[in-house]
Amino acid sequence: MASVSQSIPESVTAAGVDGAAVPDGETSRIPALIAEELERAMSCSREVIDLAVTTFAAGGHLLLEDVPGVGKTTLARALAQAIGGEVHRVQFTPDMLPSDLTGVNIWSQGEGGFVFHRGPLFANIVIADEINRANPKTQSAMLEAMSEGQISVDGVSHTLPDPYFVVATQNPIELEGTYPLPEAQLDRFMACTSFGYPDAASESRMITADDWSHPLGRVRRVCDPAAAVRIRAAARRVTIADPVADYIVALSRATRDRDGVRYGASPRASLYLAAMARARAMFDGRSYVLPEDVQQLAVPVFAHRLVLDDAGYGGESLAAARAIVADVVRAVPVPRA
């Protein structure tokens, strides 16, 4: 994504504060402005920030997997603060029940019947902290919300807010008391990435910084939920030519035929890679997708979906899957004009 150094236009900031509509001509600029705000608060690489914003603009959900203390939750909160809208944070624990997420029907004497009390999933942005600490039954409560934008309680469907975005974090090294995310749920996350440790210079700046205020205090609100909906609509209008679509399918099929891979990238993964490539092209000011967009995004979109023959759990398995996808990207011929 191209870097944007200009200040936030008054019309954009007004949309975040007053709820006014952002002009259509400025809609495609908002994701880059969001990324600039996140960079003010984070010490992670710009690549991670761009991926988070790309995932949001593409209409997907993001899984952040890394060691504790590198800023996963801070990134999720900063993104929520820049986008605006209602934000709920859920700390997942082993004793959590599905109703703790979805909500529950409670008898009301005054109403003379059951009244539905909404759970924390009813928000524009849901921060799911340490999602792999919840038991599989509770994790399954997220599936309908993430894939269909609704939840069902006692046979009644309830529509979730639009836009809807889940940012989940998990710490792969903390194996005790955690439950591996099932393949069906991993497949609902459009992208997965890791922070890694900051470089020495960035870590030194963190230590010697004069400003000890919380980094979220430096993040300004860029847009409102209505503008976020238009961002996603604009990304869907980006064109993917037939050769590039065929290239995406070739990459996906290559992961399925790869030695050592039990289950490769699903058709949903192909659709998600196309959606991410569209969003990346929009950020760069293009109305069409290039093969380079696909190449840059294949690893974060495909890797966490692969099930390896000798699959373990945690960072080693994910690292092996990323290496496989990177090798596939190098091996599959790139379409030429």
Side-chain angles (χ1 to χ4, degrees), residues 91-133:
Q91 180 64 53
F92 282 71
T93 58
D95 60 347
M96 182 176 286
L97 300 174
S99 59
D100 294 330
L101 297 174
T102 61
V104 64
N105 288 312
I106 298 178
W107 177 264
S108 172
Q109 191 69 31
E111 297 287 340
F114 285 96
V115 176
F116 179 65
H117 291 256
R118 305 191 312 173
L121 292 186
F122 284 85
N124 295 114
I125 298 179
V126 176
I127 303 172
D129 252 347
E130 297 184 305
I131 190 173
N132 56 330
R133 287 200 177 278

Short mmCIF file of all heavy atoms in Angstrom, two decimals, residues 91-133:
data_model
loop_
_atom_site.label_atom_id
_atom_site.label_comp_id
_atom_site.label_asym_id
_atom_site.label_seq_id
_atom_site.Cartn_x
_atom_site.Cartn_y
_atom_site.Cartn_z
N GLN A 91 -12.33 -11.08 26.64
CA GLN A 91 -11.21 -11.90 27.10
C GLN A 91 -11.69 -13.34 27.20
O GLN A 91 -12.50 -13.68 28.06
CB GLN A 91 -10.71 -11.42 28.46
CG GLN A 91 -9.53 -12.22 29.01
CD GLN A 91 -8.30 -12.09 28.14
OE1 GLN A 91 -7.86 -10.99 27.84
NE2 GLN A 91 -7.73 -13.22 27.74
N PHE A 92 -11.23 -14.19 26.31
CA PHE A 92 -11.69 -15.58 26.27
C PHE A 92 -11.04 -16.38 27.40
O PHE A 92 -9.84 -16.26 27.65
CB PHE A 92 -11.38 -16.20 24.92
CG PHE A 92 -12.33 -15.80 23.83
CD1 PHE A 92 -12.32 -14.50 23.32
CD2 PHE A 92 -13.25 -16.69 23.33
CE1 PHE A 92 -13.21 -14.12 22.34
CE2 PHE A 92 -14.14 -16.32 22.33
CZ PHE A 92 -14.12 -15.04 21.84
N THR A 93 -11.86 -17.21 28.04
CA THR A 93 -11.40 -18.06 29.14
C THR A 93 -11.98 -19.45 28.98
O THR A 93 -12.99 -19.64 28.27
CB THR A 93 -11.83 -17.47 30.49
OG1 THR A 93 -13.27 -17.35 30.52
CG2 THR A 93 -11.21 -16.11 30.73
N PRO A 94 -11.38 -20.46 29.61
CA PRO A 94 -11.87 -21.83 29.45
C PRO A 94 -13.30 -22.05 29.93
O PRO A 94 -13.99 -22.95 29.43
CB PRO A 94 -10.88 -22.67 30.29
CG PRO A 94 -9.64 -21.84 30.33
CD PRO A 94 -10.11 -20.42 30.36
N ASP A 95 -13.78 -21.27 30.90
CA ASP A 95 -15.13 -21.48 31.43
C ASP A 95 -16.19 -20.66 30.71
O ASP A 95 -17.34 -20.62 31.13
CB ASP A 95 -15.15 -21.16 32.93
CG ASP A 95 -14.76 -19.71 33.22
OD1 ASP A 95 -14.24 -19.04 32.30
OD2 ASP A 95 -14.96 -19.26 34.36
N MET A 96 -15.84 -20.00 29.64
CA MET A 96 -16.79 -19.18 28.90
C MET A 96 -17.80 -20.05 28.17
O MET A 96 -17.47 -21.11 27.62
CB MET A 96 -16.05 -18.27 27.91
CG MET A 96 -16.95 -17.34 27.12
SD MET A 96 -15.98 -16.22 26.07
CE MET A 96 -15.35 -15.11 27.33
N LEU A 97 -19.07 -19.60 28.14
CA LEU A 97 -20.15 -20.31 27.45
C LEU A 97 -20.53 -19.56 26.17
O LEU A 97 -20.30 -18.35 26.06
CB LEU A 97 -21.37 -20.42 28.36
CG LEU A 97 -21.18 -21.17 29.68
CD1 LEU A 97 -22.46 -21.06 30.52
CD2 LEU A 97 -20.82 -22.62 29.43
N PRO A 98 -21.12 -20.26 25.20
CA PRO A 98 -21.55 -19.58 23.97
C PRO A 98 -22.47 -18.39 24.24
O PRO A 98 -22.38 -17.36 23.58
CB PRO A 98 -22.27 -20.67 23.19
CG PRO A 98 -21.64 -21.95 23.66
CD PRO A 98 -21.33 -21.72 25.11
N SER A 99 -23.36 -18.51 25.24
CA SER A 99 -24.27 -17.41 25.55
C SER A 99 -23.55 -16.18 26.07
O SER A 99 -24.08 -15.07 26.01
CB SER A 99 -25.32 -17.88 26.57
OG SER A 99 -24.70 -18.33 27.76
N ASP A 100 -22.33 -16.37 26.61
CA ASP A 100 -21.55 -15.22 27.05
C ASP A 100 -21.14 -14.34 25.88
O ASP A 100 -20.80 -13.17 26.06
CB ASP A 100 -20.30 -15.69 27.80
CG ASP A 100 -20.62 -16.39 29.11
OD1 ASP A 100 -21.65 -16.06 29.72
OD2 ASP A 100 -19.86 -17.29 29.51
N LEU A 101 -21.15 -14.90 24.68
CA LEU A 101 -20.81 -14.15 23.47
C LEU A 101 -22.04 -13.66 22.73
O LEU A 101 -22.12 -12.51 22.31
CB LEU A 101 -19.96 -15.02 22.54
CG LEU A 101 -18.60 -15.48 23.04
CD1 LEU A 101 -17.97 -16.44 22.04
CD2 LEU A 101 -17.69 -14.29 23.25
N THR A 102 -22.99 -14.56 22.52
CA THR A 102 -24.14 -14.25 21.68
C THR A 102 -25.20 -13.45 22.39
O THR A 102 -25.92 -12.65 21.78
CB THR A 102 -24.77 -15.54 21.15
OG1 THR A 102 -25.22 -16.33 22.26
CG2 THR A 102 -23.76 -16.35 20.34
N GLY A 103 -25.36 -13.67 23.71
CA GLY A 103 -26.46 -13.09 24.44
C GLY A 103 -27.45 -14.17 24.84
O GLY A 103 -27.29 -15.34 24.48
N VAL A 104 -28.48 -13.78 25.56
CA VAL A 104 -29.40 -14.78 26.10
C VAL A 104 -30.79 -14.16 26.25
O VAL A 104 -30.93 -12.95 26.43
CB VAL A 104 -28.88 -15.30 27.46
CG1 VAL A 104 -28.86 -14.17 28.49
CG2 VAL A 104 -29.69 -16.48 27.95
N ASN A 105 -31.81 -15.02 26.15
CA ASN A 105 -33.19 -14.60 26.40
C ASN A 105 -33.48 -14.72 27.89
O ASN A 105 -33.28 -15.77 28.49
CB ASN A 105 -34.17 -15.47 25.61
CG ASN A 105 -34.14 -15.17 24.13
OD1 ASN A 105 -34.19 -14.01 23.72
ND2 ASN A 105 -34.07 -16.20 23.30
N ILE A 106 -33.95 -13.63 28.48
CA ILE A 106 -34.25 -13.59 29.91
C ILE A 106 -35.71 -13.20 30.09
O ILE A 106 -36.21 -12.28 29.42
CB ILE A 106 -33.33 -12.59 30.64
CG1 ILE A 106 -31.86 -13.02 30.50
CG2 ILE A 106 -33.71 -12.48 32.11
CD1 ILE A 106 -30.88 -12.05 31.15
N TRP A 107 -36.37 -13.91 30.99
CA TRP A 107 -37.79 -13.62 31.24
C TRP A 107 -37.94 -12.25 31.89
O TRP A 107 -37.25 -11.90 32.84
CB TRP A 107 -38.39 -14.68 32.16
CG TRP A 107 -39.83 -14.39 32.52
CD1 TRP A 107 -40.30 -13.77 33.64
CD2 TRP A 107 -40.98 -14.70 31.73
NE1 TRP A 107 -41.66 -13.67 33.62
CE2 TRP A 107 -42.12 -14.24 32.44
CE3 TRP A 107 -41.16 -15.32 30.49
CZ2 TRP A 107 -43.41 -14.38 31.95
CZ3 TRP A 107 -42.45 -15.46 30.01
CH2 TRP A 107 -43.54 -15.00 30.73
N SER A 108 -38.85 -11.46 31.34
CA SER A 108 -39.14 -10.13 31.85
C SER A 108 -40.57 -10.10 32.39
O SER A 108 -41.53 -10.32 31.63
CB SER A 108 -38.96 -9.07 30.77
OG SER A 108 -39.41 -7.81 31.20
N GLN A 109 -40.68 -9.87 33.69
CA GLN A 109 -42.01 -9.80 34.30
C GLN A 109 -42.81 -8.65 33.71
O GLN A 109 -44.02 -8.77 33.47
CB GLN A 109 -41.88 -9.64 35.82
CG GLN A 109 -43.18 -9.83 36.59
CD GLN A 109 -43.66 -11.27 36.57
OE1 GLN A 109 -42.83 -12.18 36.52
NE2 GLN A 109 -44.98 -11.46 36.59
N GLY A 110 -42.13 -7.51 33.50
CA GLY A 110 -42.82 -6.35 32.97
C GLY A 110 -43.31 -6.55 31.54
O GLY A 110 -44.40 -6.09 31.18
N GLU A 111 -42.49 -7.21 30.74
CA GLU A 111 -42.86 -7.45 29.34
C GLU A 111 -43.81 -8.63 29.19
O GLU A 111 -44.45 -8.79 28.15
CB GLU A 111 -41.60 -7.68 28.50
CG GLU A 111 -40.64 -6.51 28.45
CD GLU A 111 -41.17 -5.39 27.57
OE1 GLU A 111 -42.06 -5.65 26.73
OE2 GLU A 111 -40.70 -4.24 27.74
N GLY A 112 -43.83 -9.48 30.19
CA GLY A 112 -44.67 -10.66 30.10
C GLY A 112 -44.15 -11.69 29.12
O GLY A 112 -44.91 -12.45 28.52
N GLY A 113 -42.85 -11.74 28.94
CA GLY A 113 -42.24 -12.69 28.01
C GLY A 113 -40.73 -12.60 28.09
O GLY A 113 -40.16 -11.86 28.90
N PHE A 114 -40.08 -13.37 27.20
CA PHE A 114 -38.63 -13.36 27.18
C PHE A 114 -38.12 -12.17 26.37
O PHE A 114 -38.67 -11.83 25.32
CB PHE A 114 -38.10 -14.66 26.56
CG PHE A 114 -38.22 -15.85 27.47
CD1 PHE A 114 -39.31 -16.71 27.38
CD2 PHE A 114 -37.25 -16.10 28.43
CE1 PHE A 114 -39.43 -17.80 28.22
CE2 PHE A 114 -37.36 -17.19 29.27
CZ PHE A 114 -38.45 -18.05 29.17
N VAL A 115 -37.07 -11.55 26.88
CA VAL A 115 -36.43 -10.42 26.21
C VAL A 115 -34.99 -10.79 25.93
O VAL A 115 -34.28 -11.29 26.81
CB VAL A 115 -36.50 -9.15 27.09
CG1 VAL A 115 -35.74 -8.00 26.41
CG2 VAL A 115 -37.94 -8.76 27.36
N PHE A 116 -34.55 -10.53 24.69
CA PHE A 116 -33.19 -10.88 24.30
C PHE A 116 -32.22 -9.80 24.76
O PHE A 116 -32.40 -8.62 24.47
CB PHE A 116 -33.10 -11.05 22.78
CG PHE A 116 -31.72 -11.39 22.29
CD1 PHE A 116 -31.12 -12.58 22.63
CD2 PHE A 116 -31.01 -10.49 21.49
CE1 PHE A 116 -29.85 -12.90 22.19
CE2 PHE A 116 -29.75 -10.79 21.03
CZ PHE A 116 -29.17 -12.00 21.39
N HIS A 117 -31.19 -10.23 25.49
CA HIS A 117 -30.12 -9.35 25.94
C HIS A 117 -28.88 -9.63 25.10
O HIS A 117 -28.34 -10.75 25.14
CB HIS A 117 -29.84 -9.56 27.43
CG HIS A 117 -30.95 -9.09 28.32
ND1 HIS A 117 -30.88 -7.91 29.03
CD2 HIS A 117 -32.17 -9.63 28.60
CE1 HIS A 117 -32.00 -7.74 29.72
NE2 HIS A 117 -32.80 -8.78 29.47
N ARG A 118 -28.45 -8.66 24.35
CA ARG A 118 -27.36 -8.85 23.40
C ARG A 118 -26.04 -9.09 24.10
O ARG A 118 -25.74 -8.48 25.14
CB ARG A 118 -27.22 -7.63 22.48
CG ARG A 118 -28.49 -7.26 21.75
CD ARG A 118 -28.27 -6.25 20.67
NE ARG A 118 -27.46 -5.11 21.12
CZ ARG A 118 -27.01 -4.16 20.31
NH1 ARG A 118 -27.28 -4.24 19.01
NH2 ARG A 118 -26.30 -3.16 20.77
N GLY A 119 -25.23 -9.98 23.50
CA GLY A 119 -23.89 -10.26 24.01
C GLY A 119 -22.87 -9.36 23.36
O GLY A 119 -23.18 -8.50 22.51
N PRO A 120 -21.60 -9.53 23.70
CA PRO A 120 -20.55 -8.64 23.19
C PRO A 120 -20.27 -8.79 21.70
O PRO A 120 -19.54 -7.96 21.15
CB PRO A 120 -19.32 -9.04 24.02
CG PRO A 120 -19.60 -10.43 24.48
CD PRO A 120 -21.08 -10.50 24.67
N LEU A 121 -20.82 -9.81 21.05
CA LEU A 121 -20.61 -9.93 19.60
C LEU A 121 -21.35 -8.85 18.84
O LEU A 121 -21.08 -8.63 17.65
CB LEU A 121 -21.08 -11.31 19.10
CG LEU A 121 -20.26 -12.52 19.54
CD1 LEU A 121 -20.76 -13.78 18.84
CD2 LEU A 121 -18.78 -12.32 19.25
N PHE A 122 -22.28 -8.16 19.49
CA PHE A 122 -23.03 -7.10 18.82
C PHE A 122 -22.23 -5.79 18.90
O PHE A 122 -22.42 -4.96 19.78
CB PHE A 122 -24.40 -6.93 19.47
CG PHE A 122 -25.38 -8.00 19.10
CD1 PHE A 122 -25.40 -9.20 19.80
CD2 PHE A 122 -26.26 -7.83 18.05
CE1 PHE A 122 -26.29 -10.21 19.47
CE2 PHE A 122 -27.16 -8.84 17.70
CZ PHE A 122 -27.17 -10.03 18.41
N ALA A 123 -21.32 -5.65 17.97
CA ALA A 123 -20.49 -4.44 17.87
C ALA A 123 -19.93 -4.38 16.47
O ALA A 123 -19.89 -5.38 15.75
CB ALA A 123 -19.37 -4.46 18.91
N ASN A 124 -19.49 -3.20 16.05
CA ASN A 124 -18.85 -3.09 14.74
C ASN A 124 -17.51 -3.79 14.72
O ASN A 124 -17.14 -4.43 13.72
CB ASN A 124 -18.67 -1.62 14.36
CG ASN A 124 -19.97 -0.90 14.16
OD1 ASN A 124 -20.30 0.01 14.92
ND2 ASN A 124 -20.72 -1.26 13.14
N ILE A 125 -16.77 -3.68 15.81
CA ILE A 125 -15.46 -4.32 15.92
C ILE A 125 -15.42 -5.11 17.21
O ILE A 125 -15.67 -4.57 18.30
CB ILE A 125 -14.32 -3.29 15.87
CG1 ILE A 125 -14.34 -2.55 14.54
CG2 ILE A 125 -12.97 -3.97 16.10
CD1 ILE A 125 -13.27 -1.49 14.40
N VAL A 126 -15.12 -6.40 17.09
CA VAL A 126 -15.01 -7.28 18.25
C VAL A 126 -13.55 -7.69 18.39
O VAL A 126 -12.97 -8.26 17.46
CB VAL A 126 -15.89 -8.52 18.11
CG1 VAL A 126 -15.69 -9.47 19.29
CG2 VAL A 126 -17.36 -8.12 18.00
N ILE A 127 -12.95 -7.39 19.54
CA ILE A 127 -11.59 -7.79 19.83
C ILE A 127 -11.65 -9.06 20.67
O ILE A 127 -12.09 -9.03 21.82
CB ILE A 127 -10.82 -6.68 20.57
CG1 ILE A 127 -10.83 -5.39 19.75
CG2 ILE A 127 -9.39 -7.12 20.87
CD1 ILE A 127 -10.27 -4.20 20.50
N ALA A 128 -11.27 -10.17 20.08
CA ALA A 128 -11.32 -11.47 20.75
C ALA A 128 -9.93 -11.81 21.26
O ALA A 128 -9.10 -12.34 20.52
CB ALA A 128 -11.84 -12.54 19.80
N ASP A 129 -9.67 -11.50 22.53
CA ASP A 129 -8.34 -11.70 23.10
C ASP A 129 -8.14 -13.15 23.52
O ASP A 129 -8.98 -13.72 24.23
CB ASP A 129 -8.14 -10.78 24.30
CG ASP A 129 -7.17 -9.64 24.00
OD1 ASP A 129 -6.50 -9.71 22.95
OD2 ASP A 129 -7.09 -8.70 24.79
N GLU A 130 -7.04 -13.73 23.07
CA GLU A 130 -6.68 -15.11 23.39
C GLU A 130 -7.83 -16.06 23.11
O GLU A 130 -8.30 -16.82 23.96
CB GLU A 130 -6.23 -15.22 24.86
CG GLU A 130 -4.97 -14.42 25.16
CD GLU A 130 -4.48 -14.61 26.58
OE1 GLU A 130 -5.28 -14.39 27.51
OE2 GLU A 130 -3.31 -14.99 26.75
N ILE A 131 -8.28 -16.02 21.87
CA ILE A 131 -9.45 -16.78 21.47
C ILE A 131 -9.26 -18.28 21.67
O ILE A 131 -10.22 -19.02 21.88
CB ILE A 131 -9.82 -16.46 20.00
CG1 ILE A 131 -11.18 -17.05 19.63
CG2 ILE A 131 -8.72 -16.91 19.05
CD1 ILE A 131 -11.65 -16.63 18.26
N ASN A 132 -8.02 -18.75 21.62
CA ASN A 132 -7.80 -20.19 21.76
C ASN A 132 -7.84 -20.67 23.20
O ASN A 132 -7.60 -21.84 23.48
CB ASN A 132 -6.47 -20.59 21.11
CG ASN A 132 -5.28 -19.83 21.66
OD1 ASN A 132 -5.41 -18.68 22.09
ND2 ASN A 132 -4.12 -20.45 21.66
N ARG A 133 -8.15 -19.77 24.14
CA ARG A 133 -8.35 -20.22 25.52
C ARG A 133 -9.77 -20.70 25.77
O ARG A 133 -10.05 -21.32 26.79
CB ARG A 133 -8.01 -19.09 26.50
CG ARG A 133 -6.52 -18.82 26.60
CD ARG A 133 -6.17 -18.08 27.87
NE ARG A 133 -4.72 -17.89 27.99
CZ ARG A 133 -3.89 -18.81 28.45
NH1 ARG A 133 -4.37 -19.99 28.81
NH2 ARG A 133 -2.60 -18.56 28.53
#
